[in-house]
Structures are given as C-alpha cells and as structure tokens.
Amino acid sequence: MALTWTLDHMPNQTGRTVVVTGATSGLGRITATRLAEAGATVLMAVRDTAKGERVRAEMRGDVEVHRLDLADPRSIRTFAESLGHRRIDALINNAGTPARERALTPEGYERVIATNHLGPFALTGLLLNRFRPDRLPRVVTVGSNFYRQVRSGTDDENLAATGTFQPLRQYVRSKVSNLLFAQELDRRLRAAGSPVRSFAAHPGMAWTGMQDNPGNIAERVFVAALGALVARSAEAGALPILFAATDPRARSDAFHGPSQRKWDERVHFAPIVAPGNDPDRAARQWAIAEAATGVHYLSRVRL
C-alpha cells in the first residue's frame, strides 16, 4: 500500500506539542521546521543547545530548545523533569549516531546502542504519562531499511559490543532494536488501554550527513554505491516521518517509508520482516533495556 502525501497534505498542527530529538540537522531539523510551520509547538531536544539556538533562529513558529544527550541517563531524566507539568502530543525519536569506532558511555554501554536504542527507550518511558489523550498521541521511532541486512540474531545482552567491532553492523543492530521497540511499545500500549500509538518510519536512503561514516573500505563502497542508486534529499526523506507523526492513517503494523525508486514520492506502508518482527525477541530486548536504564514502564503482565 502506498499513498501520495506531501507537506500540503499534513493536517494543521495548531495546539499540538511535539518533542523532536536530534533536531539541529538532517531529518530532525526538517521535521521540526515543518511541524512548527504547520502550527505545532516544537520542543527541540538536542545535545548542542548553542547550535540549537542558531537553528531555531532560522525557523518560523513556536520552537523551544532543550538540552538532551541520549547517551547520558542523567541528561534524559533532567530533560523529562524540566518539562514540569507540561503535556505533549507526540514524541519523535529521531536522533541517532553512526558507528565509527567502539566507544563506551560512563555506564559501560557501547555508544551507538546507548544513543540509538537505550536512550529513546528511557526517554519514551519518562514522557509517557505526559501525553494528552485527545490529539493523536503518538510515538514515532525513526528506523532504517538497513535492518534487513542482519540475517541472524545478535547478542542482545552484549551492550558493550565486546568482540570484533564492525561499525556498520553495529549501527544496523541498533536499527533492528528500534523496530522491535516500536512494535513492542504499541503492543504494551494497547494492552494497557492507552490512547497513545507507536509508529515506525524511515527516510530510505536520504543524504543527511549520517553517511559521513569512515567505517572500513568495504562499508564505504557499499554505502556510496547504494546512495548513487537510490539516495534522495533529506527533505523527501522526512516525509514518511511527518506522515507517521501527523496523519490519522498511520499504521502501527507497517514501516512507513519511501519507495526504493527515486521517482516514486509516495509514502509506502511496508511490512516489517525478519529480524525486525520477532515479538519474543522484542520482549527480551525490552527487559534488557529496563535493566540497563532503570526505567520501567508498561508491564507485560497483562499481555
């Protein structure tokens, strides 16, 4: 299934408050910009607030800059607490980092999996009770179609990424976790009777700066060759994310994204396939993330 959808189709966002992580560049910047232009109050959750203020000065609408480092559990909690009693309508888990070399957070977790998976998991849990029930409340997790490149299971408990470290594989591993999380979150929300929905979206191969990843020679050649064939602009790549964040037709059982054909600008509803569609593995990863972050929410007892 595919829908023709452009910015002109985006519903008016006046009255909605949306948190966008990683909003100073690439997809996050475009997403935040377009939401603000459509009337939303946008909370830019960014690691570099000075850069965030420079970006905000170029945007139109109601936009605020807040500090958030998804690799730092204290920063995540401080951000959530700083909102006080404010209510939100959507959270777009967009921020992510590519893998270049193995680096650990102070907690001992590999930085890519901490930033791309553990951080969004904790942030979502800490903000979940702030969602208003009546304005399309939703969490959008930004993934990657690269997730299908992982053909076998990974050691999900190996959060320090010990052993042979392959940058591209580690990044893709985090994207598998994103998809598993998005689906498990929606299952638990429904079981809890919550009005909040969880959606997954991806930009396809969009040039955002994420491709500036040294990696090894084989990985650089792979990314460059794929980009020459299918890469589109970051503006086009942001459309599926904006659709998932704003359109009532978004589906929790689909991966919203562009076609692999550059000239096809519709939003496609792709089925989520292995290894991103394993509910048992998703439940295990949820438990691992709870233990790693100390953030517990939406118990699975009622499932």
Side-chain angles (χ1 to χ4, degrees):
M1 176 182 172
L3 292 173
T4 298
W5 199 88
T6 67
L7 291 175
D8 292 335
H9 296 100
M10 185 164 63
N12 187 297
Q13 297 297 292
T14 300
R16 298 184 85 218
T17 298
V18 184
V19 176
V20 183
T21 66
T24 56
S25 62
L27 298 169
R29 178 172 181 168
I30 293 169
T31 298
T33 297
R34 299 310 177 208
L35 286 169
E37 290 175 348
T41 295
V42 176
L43 309 186
M44 297 173 60
V46 301
R47 187 170 53 188
D48 185 342
T49 54
K51 182 178 180 181
E53 291 293 351
R54 292 193 298 271
V55 171
R56 186 191 65 79
E58 299 174 0
M59 298 167 67
R60 293 178 295 163
D62 187 3
V63 182
E64 302 174 14
V65 177
H66 297 259
R67 188 178 186 280
L68 173 67
D69 182 351
L70 287 167
D72 182 353
R74 291 169 299 180
S75 176
I76 297 171
R77 290 185 181 275
T78 298
F79 169 76
E81 292 167 0
S82 73
L83 299 185
H85 297 292
R86 295 184 70 173
R87 306 281 276 172
I88 64 174
D89 301 288
L91 165 63
I92 302 180
N93 286 318
N94 161 78
T97 185
R100 292 185 171 88
E101 59 184 10
R102 180 174 177 267
L104 301 181
T105 67
E107 293 72 34
Y109 305 132
E110 193 277 321
R111 185 163 290 276
V112 171
I113 206 70
T115 302
N116 296 3
H117 172 52
L118 297 178
F121 174 90
L123 177 65
T124 301
L126 292 172
L127 296 184
L128 201 55
N129 64 355
R130 299 177 181 274
F131 281 84
R132 281 184 285 239
D134 58 342
R135 298 180 181 176
L136 294 178
R138 52 188 61 192
V139 177
V140 178
T141 299
V142 179
S144 168
N145 232 10
F146 275 176
Y147 83 94
R148 293 179 296 177
Q149 300 302 313
V150 176
R151 298 301 181 187
S152 58
T154 58
D155 183 3
D156 292 327
E157 294 185 355
N158 186 13
L159 298 178
T162 56
T164 302
F165 187 79
Q166 298 175 296
L168 183 58
R169 183 175 177 81
Q170 183 67 1
Y171 173 74
V172 174
R173 173 192 173 190
S174 73
K175 296 293 103 179
V176 173
S177 295
N178 288 159
L179 266 182
L180 292 170
F181 165 67
Q183 295 168 93
E184 182 69 6
L185 175 62
D186 200 69
R187 283 189 287 267
R188 292 175 183 245
L189 287 167
R190 291 178 187 274
S194 171
V196 182
R197 294 277 74 84
S198 171
F199 303 114
H202 72 94
M205 186 69 173
W207 291 114
T208 64
M210 186 72 78
Q211 293 80 13
D212 300 331
N213 175 9
N216 57 43
I217 293 177
E219 290 171 353
R220 291 201 300 270
V221 170
F222 170 74
V223 171
L226 187 63
L229 290 173
V230 301
R232 66 196 69 230
S233 69
E235 187 82 29
L239 286 179
I241 301 168
L242 288 164
F243 175 87
T246 64
D247 199 287
R249 294 169 292 180
R251 289 169 35 186
S252 57
D253 63 344
F255 202 13
H256 306 87
S259 168
Q260 293 184 358
R261 300 176 178 87
K262 285 186 180 182
W263 57 87
D264 182 354
E265 297 183 351
R266 297 175 296 171
V267 173
H268 287 250
F269 296 68
I272 299 172
V273 299
N277 61 350
D278 184 343
D280 293 331
R281 183 177 175 189
R284 290 196 299 272
Q285 283 205 354
W286 188 284
I288 292 168
E290 284 187 326
T293 63
V295 179
H296 299 260
Y297 57 106
L298 294 175
S299 170
R300 208 167 190 260
V301 171
R302 298 181 58 186
L303 293 183

